[in-house]
Structures are given as C-alpha cells and as structure tokens.
Amino acid sequence: MSYKASIPSRERRIKRICVRVGLHLMTAQKPDKQVLAHGGYMLRDAETMTIVLGDKGYLFSADLDEVEAYLDALA
C-alpha cells in the first residue's frame, strides 16, 4: 500500500477538504463493536454544529469512502 492510500494520509487530506467547505471530520474516540465493524466517522457542520453525515442508525456510522463520496458530491 502506498503512503497516499494509508488511513492517516486519507484522514489528513479529508480534513483539509472539510475545512474548505465548512465541515469538521469527527472520529470515534472509543469505538464500540458496531463502529469497528463499519464506520468510525461523522461530518459536522462547523457553523450550526449539526451532524450532516454519519449518524444514521448509530453515531459514527460513516466510513472514509462514504465521507469522500459526500465531499465529492459537494464539489
């Protein structure tokens, strides 16, 4: 796996994009079994502090691919 495709690298890139569009990337600090199986991320609007992605069914339900797809749809 290349460094560009590593999880920390993807998270940093996504965080930079989020700042540009007024969002915060939030990660689960103490993930439970559900979060570990799928997800671990949420997007929050920086201005209103409302969750815009990752709270369907349970908190931190989005994975990095879903977050990237959401941000791509905004652009």
Side-chain angles (χ1 to χ4, degrees):
M1 179 187 333
S2 71
Y3 182 72
K4 283 177 91 174
S6 69
I7 301 265
S9 176
R10 287 178 69 195
E11 284 180 354
R12 284 191 301 274
R13 185 171 43 82
I14 289 171
K15 283 180 182 181
R16 286 192 303 269
I17 295 168
C18 285
V19 168
R20 287 184 216 136
V21 296
L23 298 172
H24 292 147
L25 178 67
M26 300 169 58
T27 59
Q29 296 300 313
K30 294 183 179 180
D32 59 9
K33 285 188 263 183
Q34 224 175 8
V35 170
L36 287 173
H38 176 268
Y41 300 93
M42 283 195 312
L43 285 178
R44 181 176 67 186
D45 187 294
E47 205 171 292
T48 62
M49 298 299 176
T50 57
I51 304 300
V52 295
L53 179 73
D55 64 339
K56 303 298 182 225
Y58 57 95
L59 294 178
F60 299 99
S61 63
D63 62 11
L64 277 179
D65 293 330
E66 293 170 344
V67 171
E68 280 185 313
Y70 181 85
L71 293 172
D72 287 343
L74 289 178

